[in-house]
Amino acid sequence: MKLSIDLGGTNIRIAQVEGGKCLNKVSVPCLAQQDASTVLNQLSQLIRSVMTEEVDGIGIGVPSIVDPQKGIVYNVANISSWKEIHLKEVLEEEFKVAVAVNNDSNCFALGECLFGEGRSFSHMVGITIGTGIGAGVIVGRRLYCGQYVGAGEIGSLPYLDSDFEHYCSSFFFKRYDTTGLLAAEKAAQGEQTALELWKEFGKHLGNLMKAVLYTYAPQAIVLGGGIVSAFPFFEEAMEIEMQSFPYKVILDNVKVVASSRKDSSLLGASALPESYLL
């Protein structure tokens, strides 16, 4: 049995994972505005609350760059006090089991590869669409991380007057003084302005999909994150924009699908101690 943790600036989620299933899931608000030791103590207490003798490893997904060998996390998003935390060393000393640390979007991609929409593919990219854009790259059913797990930061690629993150995540809706949730509710009611807004969002996302095809040429792109619940509102516009990709044989053989799983990141983190890294 593994313990799996999805550490975010808003919430910390933890679960016991066995046989590809999340058991005894717990989610608590993260004390992200506190000092580094307070957040670390909160994490330790949460682990202690679900730790059992059956647990033989801990996997953690963190929204940051990471040294996966040493388990050091740097500049964690939305936890400003975590500039350099030797997470693996601290937790292994306390709990006496192997600890593996990686980026949270990489954990999503690995979870989808092993347990979700990516199971039928050797090469895929998992993209999380929410507050920002994150991505994980799977090559030969293993996670390609690059230096300091920095591979796949496609949201930071330059696009229009900014970058893709500002046009393909919640930042897009802030430009129109709304939110993805409110835009989805209005679109579901048939409001034309909201439907047009989702079409524009889909067009931008289609351009991001083309960037992914150019850089990785995967067999599948799996979308996750909060905004993906509105997939029916932007899917068609995204696919129309993708049609201008010049290599038709690649375009015709890539599957773009929205994930329906809620626990992909936790499941992926649980596999980190098994070393699915390329």
Side-chain angles (χ1 to χ4, degrees):
M1 178 186 290
K2 299 293 188 292
L3 282 189
S4 183
I5 299 162
D6 184 14
L7 176 62
T10 303
N11 296 303
I12 305 175
R13 297 194 302 151
I14 190 169
Q16 297 169 342
V17 179
E18 191 167 33
K21 294 183 179 180
C22 290
L23 312 171
N24 301 320
K25 286 188 293 182
V26 178
S27 179
V28 300
C30 180
L31 301 176
Q33 304 308 313
Q34 303 295 320
D35 60 77
S37 61
T38 298
V39 180
L40 193 55
N41 287 336
Q42 181 190 26
L43 178 60
S44 294
Q45 290 173 13
L46 189 58
I47 293 172
R48 200 173 299 116
S49 71
V50 295
M51 192 71 176
T52 69
E53 292 182 356
E54 288 75 29
V55 172
D56 59 5
I58 300 173
I60 307 176
V62 184
S64 68
I65 58 173
V66 178
D67 180 332
Q69 279 71 45
K70 296 179 179 179
I72 303 172
V73 300
Y74 300 90
N75 302 313
V76 178
N78 300 316
I79 306 179
S80 59
S81 63
W82 275 31
K83 301 297 185 186
E84 181 180 325
I85 302 294
H86 294 236
L87 196 55
K88 175 182 171 71
E89 179 183 344
V90 170
L91 296 180
E92 285 187 343
E93 182 175 339
E94 180 172 358
F95 295 104
K96 311 305 180 187
V97 297
V99 175
V101 188
N102 212 295
N103 175 267
D104 56 350
S105 295
N106 284 349
C107 290
F108 167 78
L110 185 57
E112 285 294 329
C113 170
L114 298 176
F115 305 104
E117 299 289 348
R119 283 176 294 180
S120 301
F121 305 99
S122 295
H123 314 302
M124 59 157 280
V125 174
I127 300 177
T128 54
I129 307 173
T131 304
I133 288 283
V137 181
I138 300 293
V139 178
R141 298 193 61 77
R142 291 186 177 272
L143 187 61
Y144 173 70
C145 296
Q147 185 175 206
Y148 290 94
V149 303
E153 292 296 330
I154 57 175
S156 297
L157 291 173
Y159 179 64
L160 299 180
D161 62 344
S162 183
D163 56 25
F164 276 111
E165 185 162 81
H166 282 79
Y167 283 89
C168 301
S169 71
S170 62
F171 286 105
F172 170 79
F173 298 96
K174 289 180 181 178
R175 290 172 175 261
Y176 294 91
D177 297 318
T178 188
T179 66
L181 178 60
L182 187 58
E185 290 174 350
K186 291 183 177 180
Q189 297 167 1
E191 184 177 300
Q192 193 60 35
T193 301
L195 290 169
E196 290 299 322
L197 190 62
W198 281 110
K199 285 183 180 179
E200 183 179 348
F201 179 84
K203 178 180 179 180
H204 296 310
L205 193 62
N207 282 317
L208 179 60
M209 295 299 102
K210 287 187 290 185
V212 171
L213 294 180
Y214 278 121
T215 50
Y216 300 112
Q219 297 164 313
I221 302 172
V222 182
L223 306 179
I227 289 178
V228 171
S229 60
F231 191 57
F233 298 129
F234 62 81
E235 179 181 12
E236 183 178 1
M238 177 192 73
E239 290 178 344
I240 290 173
E241 187 61 33
M242 289 177 67
Q243 293 307 307
S244 61
F245 185 74
Y247 308 124
K248 192 173 186 303
V249 67
I250 293 178
L251 183 64
D252 289 346
N253 287 282
V254 64
K255 180 180 180 182
V256 181
V257 60
S259 173
S260 59
R261 302 186 70 92
K262 302 295 184 184
D263 297 323
S264 295
S265 295
L266 285 171
L267 292 172
S270 75
L272 291 175
E274 302 299 328
S275 187
Y276 278 94
L277 307 187
L278 187 65

